[in-house]
Amino acid sequence: MAIGLFRTHEEYIELRRWESRLAALLESLADRLDAVERKDAAEYLAHGEYGLLIEFVADWLGEDERPVTDDERTELVAVAGELGEQVRDRVGRSLSYPVSEGRA
């Protein structure tokens, strides 16, 4: 993702923090993703497709009922919540996380 001249330094720093957070989350889940999923996730991250990234990761983990710790599940839902309520709800459903109970 190119950072244009219209962005402030603060916006650039915040974007870098956001991407670092997502990269750390992907790293913690890498042992539960296959090679193709890891490649796809890295491409979504590189292209700034954060919503797709977090939703696909949640779907991949949820479909096969791959083990996810409570902390990882909470972080996935929290990150999704920063992308909007609809994204948070979809991720929560994929991970069987009760977002409707105010846990997100």
XYZ file of all heavy atoms in Angstrom:
833
model
N 0.837 -1.167 0.000
C 0.000 0.000 0.000
C 0.884 1.233 0.000
O 1.759 1.374 0.855
C -0.882 -0.020 1.238
C -1.674 1.236 1.401
S -3.131 0.894 2.287
C -3.020 1.686 3.742
N 0.689 2.090 -0.943
C 1.490 3.306 -1.046
C 0.947 4.371 -0.105
O -0.258 4.544 0.027
C 1.467 3.819 -2.479
N 1.840 5.036 0.545
C 1.471 6.128 1.422
C 1.659 7.411 0.623
O 2.777 7.786 0.287
C 2.335 6.147 2.696
C 2.215 4.832 3.456
C 1.992 7.327 3.582
C 0.833 4.511 3.952
N 0.566 8.080 0.301
C 0.614 9.306 -0.482
C 1.038 10.503 0.343
O 1.052 10.464 1.574
N 1.363 11.572 -0.329
C 1.787 12.793 0.347
C 0.670 13.440 1.144
O 0.922 14.247 2.019
C 2.339 13.788 -0.678
C 3.613 13.349 -1.388
C 4.010 14.382 -2.433
C 4.733 13.138 -0.397
N -0.567 13.068 0.870
C -1.697 13.648 1.581
C -1.808 13.133 3.011
O -2.497 13.708 3.825
C -3.003 13.364 0.843
C -3.323 11.898 0.737
C -4.096 11.277 1.698
C -2.833 11.138 -0.321
C -4.387 9.912 1.615
C -3.119 9.782 -0.409
C -3.890 9.171 0.558
N -1.113 12.074 3.354
C -1.167 11.503 4.703
C -0.220 12.256 5.633
O 0.866 12.672 5.238
C -0.774 10.033 4.687
C -1.777 9.169 3.971
C -1.626 7.759 4.477
N -2.521 6.875 3.794
C -3.736 6.541 4.259
N -4.174 7.029 5.376
N -4.494 5.724 3.578
N -0.659 12.390 6.871
C 0.214 13.008 7.867
C 1.156 11.958 8.430
O 0.927 10.761 8.289
C -0.605 13.600 9.022
O -1.255 12.533 9.723
C -1.626 14.611 8.532
N 2.178 12.425 9.093
C 3.121 11.517 9.745
C 2.390 10.654 10.768
O 2.649 9.457 10.872
C 4.242 12.321 10.405
C 5.226 11.484 11.133
N 6.119 10.652 10.479
C 5.445 11.311 12.459
C 6.847 10.015 11.377
N 6.460 10.399 12.584
N 1.480 11.247 11.531
C 0.739 10.517 12.546
C -0.114 9.411 11.923
O -0.217 8.313 12.468
C -0.143 11.461 13.370
C 0.632 12.386 14.274
C 1.244 13.585 13.539
O 0.817 13.917 12.409
O 2.184 14.175 14.107
N -0.748 9.695 10.796
C -1.546 8.676 10.117
C -0.661 7.524 9.637
O -1.043 6.363 9.722
C -2.297 9.274 8.924
C -3.433 10.178 9.316
C -4.039 10.877 8.116
O -3.295 11.265 7.197
O -5.266 11.039 8.104
N 0.502 7.862 9.134
C 1.432 6.836 8.674
C 1.874 5.951 9.843
O 1.888 4.729 9.736
C 2.647 7.485 8.005
C 3.681 6.477 7.569
C 3.478 5.707 6.432
C 4.845 6.289 8.301
C 4.415 4.768 6.035
C 5.784 5.356 7.906
C 5.562 4.605 6.775
O 6.493 3.672 6.392
N 2.217 6.562 10.970
C 2.646 5.807 12.151
C 1.517 4.920 12.643
O 1.732 3.746 12.982
C 3.122 6.772 13.273
C 4.361 7.535 12.834
C 3.361 6.015 14.585
C 5.556 6.665 12.509
N 0.301 5.424 12.671
C -0.845 4.628 13.121
C -1.091 3.453 12.177
O -1.381 2.344 12.622
C -2.097 5.503 13.222
C -3.279 4.798 13.835
C -3.009 4.244 15.234
O -2.250 4.867 16.004
O -3.546 3.159 15.543
N -0.964 3.671 10.887
C -1.128 2.594 9.915
C -0.066 1.518 10.127
O -0.375 0.321 10.104
C -1.043 3.144 8.488
C -1.151 2.129 7.357
C -2.512 1.444 7.375
C -0.900 2.798 6.021
N 1.160 1.928 10.366
C 2.246 0.959 10.620
C 1.960 0.143 11.883
O 2.196 -1.047 11.923
C 3.600 1.659 10.749
C 4.027 2.460 9.530
C 4.002 1.726 8.225
N 4.748 0.489 8.269
C 4.680 -0.469 7.359
N 3.889 -0.317 6.322
N 5.369 -1.567 7.470
N 1.431 0.798 12.926
C 1.078 0.083 14.161
C -0.016 -0.952 13.880
O 0.035 -2.073 14.375
C 0.584 1.061 15.224
C 1.665 1.739 15.966
C 1.108 2.491 17.184
N 2.067 3.509 17.549
C 1.819 4.808 17.580
N 0.627 5.270 17.311
N 2.759 5.646 17.907
N -1.003 -0.548 13.124
C -2.119 -1.428 12.770
C -1.609 -2.649 12.009
O -1.954 -3.783 12.312
C -3.139 -0.643 11.949
C -4.232 -1.451 11.378
C -4.397 -1.787 10.068
C -5.322 -2.054 12.074
N -5.526 -2.560 9.915
C -6.104 -2.733 11.124
C -5.707 -2.092 13.408
C -7.257 -3.433 11.473
C -6.860 -2.791 13.746
C -7.610 -3.449 12.782
N -0.786 -2.416 10.999
C -0.237 -3.515 10.213
C 0.659 -4.415 11.059
O 0.642 -5.635 10.891
C 0.518 -2.975 8.997
C -0.421 -2.387 7.965
C 0.285 -1.752 6.792
O 1.508 -1.490 6.866
O -0.401 -1.498 5.782
N 1.407 -3.846 11.983
C 2.249 -4.652 12.877
C 1.384 -5.519 13.782
O 1.720 -6.675 14.052
C 3.139 -3.749 13.731
O 4.078 -3.096 12.919
N 0.287 -4.984 14.253
C -0.637 -5.749 15.093
C -1.199 -6.938 14.328
O -1.250 -8.055 14.835
C -1.752 -4.837 15.581
C -2.725 -5.495 16.527
C -3.767 -4.505 16.991
N -4.737 -5.132 17.868
C -5.851 -4.548 18.238
N -6.125 -3.318 17.844
N -6.698 -5.180 19.025
N -1.620 -6.693 13.086
C -2.152 -7.778 12.259
C -1.073 -8.811 11.945
O -1.336 -10.016 11.985
C -2.750 -7.231 10.963
C -4.063 -6.490 11.108
C -4.438 -5.836 9.783
C -5.171 -7.412 11.573
N 0.121 -8.350 11.638
C 1.216 -9.277 11.332
C 1.537 -10.146 12.543
O 1.776 -11.356 12.403
C 2.456 -8.501 10.881
N 1.543 -9.567 13.745
C 1.808 -10.336 14.962
C 0.714 -11.367 15.199
O 0.992 -12.510 15.583
C 1.924 -9.400 16.159
N -0.519 -10.994 14.941
C -1.630 -11.929 15.095
C -1.495 -13.084 14.111
O -1.656 -14.253 14.480
C -2.959 -11.197 14.902
C -4.237 -11.988 15.097
C -4.286 -12.638 16.472
C -5.440 -11.083 14.891
N -1.170 -12.777 12.867
C -0.965 -13.833 11.864
C 0.180 -14.756 12.264
O 0.085 -15.976 12.098
C -0.672 -13.229 10.494
C -1.853 -12.632 9.762
C -1.378 -11.970 8.477
C -2.894 -13.696 9.473
N 1.240 -14.180 12.783
C 2.393 -14.977 13.212
C 1.993 -15.948 14.325
O 2.397 -17.105 14.324
C 3.530 -14.071 13.680
C 4.759 -14.816 14.112
C 5.438 -15.592 12.993
O 5.331 -15.185 11.824
O 6.081 -16.616 13.292
N 1.168 -15.478 15.248
C 0.762 -16.345 16.358
C -0.138 -17.486 15.891
O -0.198 -18.527 16.542
C 0.062 -15.541 17.453
O -1.259 -15.188 17.090
N -0.811 -17.297 14.770
C -1.731 -18.310 14.247
C -1.122 -19.140 13.115
O -1.768 -20.059 12.603
C -3.011 -17.637 13.732
C -3.838 -16.896 14.777
C -4.866 -16.004 14.099
C -4.500 -17.882 15.720
N 0.095 -18.841 12.711
C 0.712 -19.458 11.530
C 0.750 -20.976 11.587
O 0.593 -21.635 10.558
C 2.123 -18.909 11.318
N 0.921 -21.535 12.775
C 0.995 -22.993 12.875
C -0.356 -23.668 12.644
O -0.418 -24.872 12.466
C 1.570 -23.409 14.230
C 0.712 -22.978 15.405
O 0.019 -21.939 15.309
O 0.737 -23.676 16.436
N -1.432 -22.880 12.608
C -2.761 -23.431 12.334
C -3.268 -23.117 10.943
O -4.371 -23.475 10.576
C -3.769 -22.901 13.371
C -3.908 -23.777 14.549
C -3.355 -23.395 15.884
N -2.556 -22.263 16.141
C -2.861 -21.308 17.025
N -3.980 -21.338 17.667
N -2.027 -20.320 17.266
N -2.446 -22.455 10.154
C -2.800 -22.127 8.778
C -1.886 -22.902 7.839
O -0.700 -23.050 8.115
C -2.640 -20.624 8.528
C -3.463 -19.689 9.417
C -3.093 -18.243 9.128
C -4.956 -19.918 9.240
N -2.448 -23.366 6.728
C -1.591 -24.071 5.776
C -0.823 -23.060 4.927
O -1.025 -21.850 5.036
C -2.397 -25.073 4.938
C -3.409 -24.424 3.987
O -3.152 -23.315 3.468
O -4.456 -25.057 3.752
N 0.057 -23.545 4.087
C 0.944 -22.673 3.306
C 0.171 -21.723 2.399
O 0.518 -20.538 2.287
C 1.919 -23.514 2.487
N -0.867 -22.220 1.750
C -1.673 -21.370 0.855
C -2.389 -20.282 1.654
O -2.425 -19.121 1.244
C -2.675 -22.227 0.046
C -3.642 -21.359 -0.739
C -1.931 -23.175 -0.882
N -2.943 -20.647 2.801
C -3.636 -19.667 3.637
C -2.667 -18.600 4.145
O -2.994 -17.411 4.137
C -4.324 -20.365 4.813
C -5.481 -21.243 4.386
C -5.961 -22.198 5.455
O -5.220 -22.449 6.438
O -7.082 -22.722 5.312
N -1.479 -19.014 4.553
C -0.480 -18.041 5.002
C -0.091 -17.093 3.872
O 0.047 -15.892 4.080
C 0.755 -18.747 5.566
C 0.508 -19.404 6.913
C 1.787 -19.877 7.599
N 2.615 -20.749 6.783
C 2.481 -22.070 6.714
N 1.551 -22.692 7.416
N 3.287 -22.787 5.951
N 0.065 -17.642 2.674
C 0.415 -16.811 1.510
C -0.708 -15.825 1.212
O -0.473 -14.636 1.006
C 0.683 -17.698 0.303
C 1.027 -16.929 -0.966
C 1.214 -17.895 -2.135
C 1.442 -17.193 -3.435
N 0.240 -16.553 -3.969
N -1.944 -16.313 1.191
C -3.090 -15.438 0.931
C -3.208 -14.352 1.993
O -3.434 -13.183 1.675
C -4.392 -16.242 0.876
C -4.511 -17.100 -0.372
O -3.719 -16.916 -1.323
O -5.410 -17.967 -0.394
N -3.040 -14.727 3.259
C -3.130 -13.763 4.353
C -2.058 -12.683 4.202
O -2.341 -11.494 4.388
C -3.001 -14.473 5.698
N -0.848 -13.077 3.854
C 0.235 -12.111 3.658
C -0.077 -11.157 2.508
O 0.210 -9.957 2.588
C 1.551 -12.840 3.410
N -0.693 -11.661 1.456
C -1.071 -10.804 0.325
C -2.162 -9.818 0.720
O -2.110 -8.650 0.331
C -1.494 -11.653 -0.862
C -0.327 -12.344 -1.530
C -0.716 -13.109 -2.785
O -1.745 -12.782 -3.411
O 0.026 -14.041 -3.138
N -3.164 -10.277 1.479
C -4.208 -9.358 1.947
C -3.595 -8.256 2.804
O -3.946 -7.089 2.662
C -5.279 -10.095 2.763
C -6.147 -11.029 1.954
C -6.427 -12.305 2.412
C -6.698 -10.644 0.737
C -7.232 -13.176 1.688
C -7.491 -11.499 -0.010
C -7.759 -12.769 0.477
O -8.546 -13.620 -0.241
N -2.681 -8.619 3.679
C -2.024 -7.638 4.538
C -1.213 -6.651 3.693
O -1.302 -5.439 3.885
C -1.133 -8.338 5.561
C -0.406 -7.438 6.550
C -1.382 -6.643 7.405
C 0.509 -8.275 7.439
N -0.445 -7.168 2.748
C 0.402 -6.314 1.905
C -0.414 -5.326 1.071
O 0.057 -4.224 0.776
C 1.260 -7.182 0.984
N -1.641 -5.714 0.720
C -2.487 -4.857 -0.119
C -3.502 -4.055 0.682
O -4.385 -3.411 0.102
C -3.190 -5.699 -1.185
C -2.245 -6.239 -2.195
N -1.887 -7.560 -2.240
C -1.535 -5.625 -3.170
C -1.019 -7.744 -3.213
N -0.772 -6.589 -3.787
N -3.396 -4.104 2.004
C -4.288 -3.305 2.833
C -5.720 -3.813 2.883
O -6.627 -3.059 3.214
N -5.916 -5.073 2.578
C -7.253 -5.677 2.596
C -7.508 -6.278 3.980
O -7.647 -7.483 4.152
C -7.357 -6.751 1.502
C -7.238 -6.218 0.101
C -8.458 -5.409 -0.340
O -9.497 -5.451 0.348
O -8.357 -4.742 -1.379
N -7.570 -5.412 4.978
C -7.626 -5.857 6.364
C -8.919 -6.604 6.702
O -8.888 -7.580 7.432
C -7.436 -4.671 7.308
C -6.225 -3.845 6.962
C -6.329 -2.482 6.757
C -4.976 -4.439 6.818
C -5.217 -1.717 6.433
C -3.862 -3.688 6.488
C -3.988 -2.323 6.297
O -2.895 -1.575 5.965
N -10.039 -6.122 6.182
C -11.306 -6.799 6.436
C -11.324 -8.198 5.871
O -11.724 -9.156 6.555
N -10.881 -8.337 4.635
C -10.811 -9.669 4.030
C -9.856 -10.557 4.803
O -10.141 -11.728 5.068
C -10.354 -9.572 2.566
C -11.357 -9.019 1.575
C -10.703 -8.853 0.201
C -12.571 -9.910 1.482
N -8.726 -10.003 5.180
C -7.728 -10.760 5.923
C -8.322 -11.345 7.195
O -8.269 -12.555 7.414
C -6.541 -9.851 6.269
C -5.561 -10.379 7.311
C -4.817 -11.591 6.793
C -4.614 -9.286 7.725
N -8.899 -10.521 8.021
C -9.374 -10.984 9.315
C -10.570 -11.928 9.167
O -10.707 -12.903 9.897
C -9.666 -9.792 10.258
C -9.588 -10.227 11.711
C -10.963 -9.122 9.956
C -8.206 -10.494 12.190
N -11.444 -11.661 8.200
C -12.593 -12.539 7.992
C -12.173 -13.900 7.445
O -12.684 -14.932 7.895
C -13.616 -11.882 7.073
C -14.379 -10.772 7.771
C -15.528 -10.242 6.952
O -16.325 -11.063 6.451
O -15.631 -9.008 6.808
N -11.262 -13.917 6.492
C -10.814 -15.200 5.955
C -10.075 -16.020 7.007
O -10.285 -17.225 7.110
C -9.934 -15.018 4.711
C -10.715 -14.854 3.446
C -10.561 -13.731 2.660
C -11.612 -15.828 3.033
C -11.285 -13.575 1.487
C -12.341 -15.686 1.863
C -12.184 -14.552 1.090
N -9.219 -15.382 7.785
C -8.503 -16.107 8.830
C -9.505 -16.715 9.813
O -9.398 -17.888 10.187
C -7.478 -15.207 9.544
C -6.951 -15.866 10.812
C -6.321 -14.880 8.604
N -10.488 -15.947 10.218
C -11.513 -16.466 11.136
C -12.278 -17.619 10.502
O -12.558 -18.631 11.163
C -12.460 -15.350 11.548
N -12.617 -17.483 9.232
C -13.323 -18.566 8.526
C -12.466 -19.823 8.466
O -12.944 -20.925 8.719
C -13.704 -18.149 7.109
C -14.859 -17.168 7.067
O -15.568 -17.029 8.090
O -15.053 -16.530 6.015
N -11.201 -19.672 8.090
C -10.315 -20.835 7.990
C -10.206 -21.559 9.320
O -10.274 -22.784 9.393
C -8.916 -20.418 7.538
C -8.852 -19.845 6.160
C -9.655 -20.148 5.090
C -7.926 -18.858 5.686
N -9.285 -19.417 3.992
C -8.229 -18.618 4.328
C -6.881 -18.173 6.284
C -7.508 -17.707 3.559
C -6.174 -17.261 5.507
C -6.487 -17.041 4.156
N -10.049 -20.789 10.385
C -9.913 -21.393 11.710
C -11.220 -22.027 12.170
O -11.222 -23.118 12.739
C -9.457 -20.343 12.722
C -8.072 -19.758 12.504
C -7.851 -18.550 13.402
C -6.996 -20.802 12.716
N -12.318 -21.350 11.913
C -13.613 -21.830 12.370
C -14.154 -23.010 11.600
O -14.774 -23.913 12.179
N -13.929 -23.038 10.291
C -14.474 -24.118 9.460
C -13.938 -25.477 9.862
O -14.669 -26.458 9.881
C -14.161 -23.863 7.986
C -15.020 -22.790 7.368
C -14.609 -22.458 5.943
O -13.641 -23.064 5.427
O -15.248 -21.586 5.352
N -12.674 -25.534 10.141
C -12.051 -26.813 10.498
C -11.920 -26.995 11.999
O -11.287 -27.942 12.456
C -10.657 -26.919 9.855
C -10.737 -26.967 8.342
O -11.761 -27.429 7.810
O -9.760 -26.529 7.709
N -12.517 -26.058 12.750
C -12.447 -26.090 14.208
C -11.009 -26.264 14.695
O -10.714 -27.066 15.566
C -13.368 -27.165 14.778
C -14.826 -26.898 14.474
C -15.763 -27.940 15.073
O -15.345 -28.719 15.945
O -16.925 -27.947 14.656
N -10.130 -25.483 14.091
C -8.728 -25.493 14.503
C -8.623 -24.839 15.880
O -9.365 -23.915 16.193
C -7.874 -24.739 13.490
C -7.956 -25.369 12.099
C -7.203 -24.564 11.081
N -7.688 -24.881 9.749
C -7.262 -24.293 8.658
N -6.313 -23.383 8.706
N -7.760 -24.628 7.477
N -7.715 -25.304 16.704
C -7.626 -24.746 18.058
C -7.193 -23.280 18.045
O -6.255 -22.903 17.344
C -6.583 -25.626 18.741
C -5.781 -26.220 17.628
C -6.706 -26.345 16.461
N -7.904 -22.484 18.812
C -7.598 -21.069 18.974
C -7.731 -20.778 20.469
O -8.743 -21.127 21.077
C -8.583 -20.184 18.168
C -8.282 -18.713 18.371
C -8.553 -20.541 16.689
N -6.716 -20.163 21.050
C -6.786 -19.846 22.472
C -7.802 -18.725 22.708
O -8.164 -17.984 21.777
C -5.421 -19.394 23.027
O -5.083 -18.124 22.440
C -4.336 -20.419 22.745
N -8.235 -18.590 23.938
C -9.164 -17.514 24.275
C -8.548 -16.151 23.979
O -9.228 -15.258 23.479
C -9.582 -17.591 25.748
C -10.524 -18.746 26.030
O -11.158 -19.270 25.077
O -10.624 -19.142 27.212
N -7.260 -15.993 24.273
C -6.587 -14.716 23.999
C -6.537 -14.420 22.497
O -6.749 -13.281 22.076
C -5.171 -14.714 24.573
C -5.150 -14.613 26.092
O -6.193 -14.244 26.695
O -4.093 -14.916 26.673
N -6.247 -15.442 21.691
C -6.216 -15.252 20.233
C -7.603 -14.916 19.708
O -7.752 -14.020 18.874
C -5.692 -16.508 19.546
C -4.216 -16.755 19.784
C -3.763 -18.126 19.338
O -4.587 -19.079 19.272
O -2.553 -18.268 19.071
N -8.595 -15.606 20.196
C -9.981 -15.356 19.772
C -10.390 -13.927 20.145
O -10.969 -13.201 19.343
C -10.918 -16.379 20.421
C -12.336 -16.326 19.917
C -13.195 -17.434 20.511
N -12.867 -18.719 19.873
C -12.222 -19.712 20.472
N -11.832 -19.621 21.719
N -11.972 -20.817 19.812
N -10.051 -13.519 21.354
C -10.379 -12.165 21.803
C -9.685 -11.125 20.935
O -10.297 -10.123 20.545
C -9.980 -11.979 23.284
O -10.732 -12.911 24.071
C -10.245 -10.567 23.767
N -8.417 -11.350 20.600
C -7.677 -10.409 19.751
C -8.254 -10.371 18.340
O -8.392 -9.296 17.755
C -6.185 -10.765 19.720
C -5.345 -9.874 18.832
C -5.222 -8.421 19.288
O -5.801 -8.042 20.333
O -4.561 -7.653 18.577
N -8.602 -11.520 17.780
C -9.217 -11.548 16.447
C -10.500 -10.730 16.427
O -10.733 -9.931 15.512
C -9.518 -12.982 16.020
C -8.346 -13.790 15.481
C -8.645 -15.282 15.546
C -8.043 -13.372 14.052
N -11.343 -10.909 17.428
C -12.609 -10.177 17.482
C -12.367 -8.693 17.739
O -13.034 -7.832 17.147
C -13.560 -10.796 18.530
C -14.803 -9.940 18.731
C -13.970 -12.207 18.099
N -11.382 -8.370 18.575
C -11.066 -6.966 18.845
C -10.566 -6.263 17.588
O -10.995 -5.147 17.280
C -10.035 -6.864 19.962
N -9.671 -6.911 16.867
C -9.169 -6.338 15.618
C -10.320 -6.162 14.626
O -10.452 -5.122 13.989
C -8.053 -7.222 15.016
C -7.744 -6.818 13.601
C -6.806 -7.144 15.877
N -11.157 -7.163 14.520
C -12.310 -7.076 13.622
C -13.227 -5.929 14.028
O -13.771 -5.230 13.169
C -13.069 -8.400 13.617
N -13.380 -5.723 15.332
C -14.232 -4.639 15.812
C -13.743 -3.272 15.395
O -14.548 -2.359 15.188
N -12.447 -3.124 15.245
C -11.904 -1.853 14.780
C -12.231 -1.604 13.308
O -12.148 -0.475 12.839
C -10.402 -1.800 15.023
C -10.061 -1.753 16.495
C -8.595 -1.596 16.759
O -7.901 -0.968 15.928
O -8.137 -2.098 17.802
N -12.617 -2.649 12.613
C -13.001 -2.519 11.204
C -14.504 -2.311 11.051
O -14.984 -2.113 9.950
C -12.561 -3.759 10.430
C -11.056 -3.972 10.374
C -10.733 -5.345 9.804
C -10.395 -2.876 9.544
N -15.218 -2.397 12.148
C -16.659 -2.161 12.114
C -17.445 -3.278 12.769
O -16.964 -4.407 12.920
N -18.645 -2.938 13.152
C -19.507 -3.878 13.862
C -19.847 -5.109 13.020
O -19.866 -6.230 13.535
C -20.785 -3.159 14.280
C -21.690 -3.961 15.172
C -22.882 -3.151 15.626
O -22.725 -1.969 15.962
O -23.989 -3.730 15.638
N -20.104 -4.912 11.738
C -20.452 -6.050 10.880
C -19.288 -7.027 10.751
O -19.478 -8.243 10.799
C -20.909 -5.580 9.509
C -22.235 -4.858 9.549
C -22.640 -4.337 8.183
O -21.800 -4.174 7.293
N -23.917 -4.067 8.002
N -18.098 -6.510 10.583
C -16.913 -7.373 10.482
C -16.733 -8.119 11.800
O -16.501 -9.324 11.823
C -15.648 -6.559 10.122
C -14.414 -7.454 10.109
C -15.815 -5.864 8.780
N -16.843 -7.396 12.914
C -16.718 -8.022 14.237
C -17.723 -9.159 14.412
O -17.381 -10.237 14.881
C -16.915 -6.989 15.341
C -16.735 -7.584 16.739
C -17.380 -6.759 17.807
N -18.818 -6.823 17.631
C -19.666 -5.912 18.063
N -19.240 -4.845 18.680
N -20.953 -6.048 17.877
N -18.971 -8.915 14.026
C -20.006 -9.941 14.182
C -19.728 -11.169 13.314
O -19.898 -12.297 13.763
C -21.384 -9.369 13.868
C -21.864 -8.369 14.915
O -21.261 -8.298 16.013
O -22.841 -7.651 14.634
N -19.278 -10.944 12.068
C -18.971 -12.080 11.184
C -17.802 -12.900 11.731
O -17.838 -14.136 11.737
C -18.683 -11.600 9.759
C -19.937 -11.192 8.999
C -19.665 -10.976 7.523
N -18.778 -9.858 7.257
C -19.180 -8.607 7.031
N -20.460 -8.300 7.062
N -18.291 -7.672 6.773
N -16.772 -12.215 12.199
C -15.611 -12.910 12.765
C -16.023 -13.654 14.025
O -15.646 -14.808 14.227
C -14.452 -11.917 13.033
C -13.367 -12.547 13.897
C -13.870 -11.437 11.710
N -16.810 -13.017 14.853
C -17.286 -13.661 16.070
C -18.080 -14.921 15.783
O -17.898 -15.950 16.446
N -18.941 -14.861 14.782
C -19.723 -16.051 14.403
C -18.803 -17.159 13.893
O -18.983 -18.325 14.242
C -20.774 -15.705 13.347
C -22.030 -15.086 13.915
C -23.149 -15.010 12.900
N -22.802 -14.264 11.695
C -22.912 -12.936 11.570
N -23.329 -12.209 12.574
N -22.601 -12.348 10.443
N -17.826 -16.810 13.083
C -16.902 -17.816 12.553
C -16.140 -18.518 13.665
O -15.826 -19.701 13.561
C -15.892 -17.176 11.595
O -16.534 -16.724 10.424
N -15.848 -17.778 14.723
C -15.055 -18.322 15.823
C -15.915 -18.753 17.009
O -15.386 -19.067 18.075
C -14.042 -17.276 16.293
C -13.021 -16.846 15.260
C -12.201 -15.673 15.780
C -12.123 -18.017 14.884
N -17.239 -18.747 16.821
C -18.174 -19.083 17.905
C -17.898 -18.233 19.140
O -17.849 -18.724 20.267
C -18.087 -20.570 18.252
O -18.400 -21.351 17.138
N -17.714 -16.943 18.920
C -17.421 -15.987 19.983
C -18.682 -15.178 20.224
O -19.198 -14.565 19.297
C -16.278 -15.075 19.549
C -15.717 -14.197 20.630
C -14.722 -14.662 21.469
C -16.153 -12.897 20.808
C -14.158 -13.862 22.447
C -15.609 -12.093 21.786
C -14.617 -12.576 22.605
O -14.074 -11.772 23.571
N -19.193 -15.125 21.435
C -20.472 -14.450 21.700
C -20.353 -12.926 21.713
O -20.394 -12.296 22.767
C -20.852 -15.001 23.073
C -19.567 -15.322 23.735
C -18.650 -15.763 22.617
N -20.236 -12.329 20.530
C -20.105 -10.873 20.464
C -21.368 -10.164 20.923
O -21.312 -9.052 21.412
C -19.694 -10.383 19.048
C -18.303 -10.840 18.719
C -20.689 -10.838 18.016
N -22.511 -10.803 20.790
C -23.760 -10.168 21.181
C -23.852 -9.975 22.685
O -24.675 -9.219 23.173
C -24.948 -10.999 20.697
O -24.912 -12.292 21.282
N -22.989 -10.614 23.452
C -22.992 -10.483 24.893
C -22.062 -9.370 25.359
O -21.732 -9.271 26.533
C -22.577 -11.801 25.555
C -23.567 -12.919 25.310
C -23.092 -14.238 25.884
O -22.181 -14.235 26.752
O -23.617 -15.263 25.470
N -21.603 -8.540 24.418
C -20.762 -7.417 24.784
C -19.322 -7.762 25.083
O -18.645 -7.026 25.769
N -18.827 -8.868 24.566
C -17.452 -9.278 24.855
C -16.453 -8.741 23.853
O -15.281 -8.997 23.962
C -17.355 -10.805 24.889
C -18.071 -11.380 26.071
C -17.909 -12.855 26.110
N -16.490 -13.197 26.208
C -16.034 -14.432 26.136
N -16.863 -15.433 25.968
N -14.761 -14.681 26.226
N -16.918 -8.040 22.826
C -15.982 -7.584 21.800
C -15.465 -6.201 22.063
O -16.001 -5.400 22.703
C -16.643 -7.636 20.431
